[in-house]
Amino acid sequence: MLAPQRQQAILERVRRSGGVRVADLVRELGVSDMTIRRDLEALAERGLLEKVHGGATISGPGSTEEPGFAAKSVRQQPEKDAIARRAAALVRPGTAVALSAGTTTWALAHLLVDVAELTVITNSIPVADVFHRSPRADRTVVLTGGVRTPSDALVGPVAVAAIRRLHVDTLFLGVHGMSVHAGFTTPNLLESETDRELVASAHRLVVPADHTKWGTVGISTIAELSEADVVISDAGLPEAARRELAERAGELIIAEDTK
């Protein structure tokens, strides 16, 4: 088992049970104590778990904790790329799409730069920058104004006013978390208000969210699970989550990493 595969297995174990002991991981994975400790150190440095004496526990962010864009962009990169590829297949030339802030929508933006006659609405500075760096004469990009958040989203009354009179074919909504009871959530109150306006503007709501978002709850709900026409996640999504999403959302797509 390669180090990334072993670390993913450790992370899944921590998320499933809430914590792990080094001795148990040594026995289950058949590697040395030092190897496990290096794996835990690597995962802790990425903010994915917390090291404790003799093991590790789940890294439990509060409902208002908002990591910066750079920190989030290095997490679950293969999964986000696979999700973005499936999301890009839903976009047709000549349509109007909205991309909210998020690292998965940012990955999606890179795949949409060659789509003809596209109109893009976004409140994400990094997303707008992707299109700015690959200009097309037949593309229109609208960047809302607003107050900048740690995740490089533009939010607040100015952003809401800019979005309110717009209508798009599809919204790709980046989320901080998703759960049965809380729905799709964000840790930023102003961002949730702006995102709700984006949801209202869209004929179709697509939520691209990797498996680590399941069970994470931000302070404010953007939309209920049932409001999503499509949820795109990855192969790491637990079976229980798949059943809930398949039952509540319009469609669940599991994106496989084909690289």
Side-chain angles (χ1 to χ4, degrees), residues 108-161:
L108 170 60
H110 288 82
L111 302 178
L112 299 183
V113 294
D114 293 324
V115 178
E117 299 179 342
L118 197 64
T119 297
V120 180
I121 312 297
T122 186
N123 69 323
S124 167
I125 295 171
V127 167
D129 191 55
V130 170
F131 292 107
H132 175 72
R133 293 174 182 275
S134 300
R136 285 182 65 107
D138 61 348
R139 182 175 63 222
T140 300
V141 178
V142 178
L143 176 63
T144 71
V147 178
R148 188 172 184 170
T149 72
S151 59
D152 286 346
L154 296 176
V155 302
V158 173
V160 168

Side-chain angles (χ1 to χ4, degrees), residues 39-240:
D39 286 338
L40 294 180
E41 185 68 36
L43 291 167
E45 287 177 355
R46 293 162 59 193
L48 300 176
L49 52 72
E50 294 180 7
K51 287 185 66 182
V52 296
H53 181 69
T57 62
I58 191 167
S59 180
S63 62
T64 60
E65 182 178 333
E66 184 174 8
F69 182 87
K72 292 191 293 184
S73 66
V74 298
R75 300 176 182 175
Q76 284 73 49
Q77 285 181 301
E79 292 92 338
K80 290 175 181 178
D81 289 343
I83 291 168
R85 287 193 293 272
R86 291 301 300 269
L90 301 178
V91 178
R92 300 190 308 274
T95 56
V97 299
L99 278 69
S100 77
T103 52
T104 307
T105 51
W106 176 73
L108 170 60
H110 288 82
L111 302 178
L112 299 183
V113 294
D114 293 324
V115 178
E117 299 179 342
L118 197 64
T119 297
V120 180
I121 312 297
T122 186
N123 69 323
S124 167
I125 295 171
V127 167
D129 191 55
V130 170
F131 292 107
H132 175 72
R133 293 174 182 275
S134 300
R136 285 182 65 107
D138 61 348
R139 182 175 63 222
T140 300
V141 178
V142 178
L143 176 63
T144 71
V147 178
R148 188 172 184 170
T149 72
S151 59
D152 286 346
L154 296 176
V155 302
V158 173
V160 168
I163 297 165
R164 183 159 290 160
R165 295 185 181 277
L166 300 176
H167 305 280
V168 298
D169 298 297
T170 303
L171 164 63
F172 294 94
L173 177 68
V175 299
H176 175 73
M178 53 182 176
S179 72
V180 172
H181 300 296
F184 302 108
T185 60
T186 173
N188 188 298
L189 290 170
L190 287 176
E191 188 164 0
S192 69
E193 180 185 19
T194 305
D195 284 346
R196 282 195 289 271
E197 203 65 47
L198 284 168
V199 171
S201 75
H203 176 70
R204 177 174 61 167
L205 172 59
V206 178
V207 180
D210 70 77
H211 69 278
T212 65
K213 305 297 178 67
W214 183 257
T216 298
V217 177
I219 193 172
S220 185
T221 295
I222 303 165
E224 301 298 331
L225 298 184
S226 59
E227 294 181 62
D229 296 289
V230 182
V231 175
I232 308 175
S233 194
D234 61 84
L237 189 70
E239 286 299 327

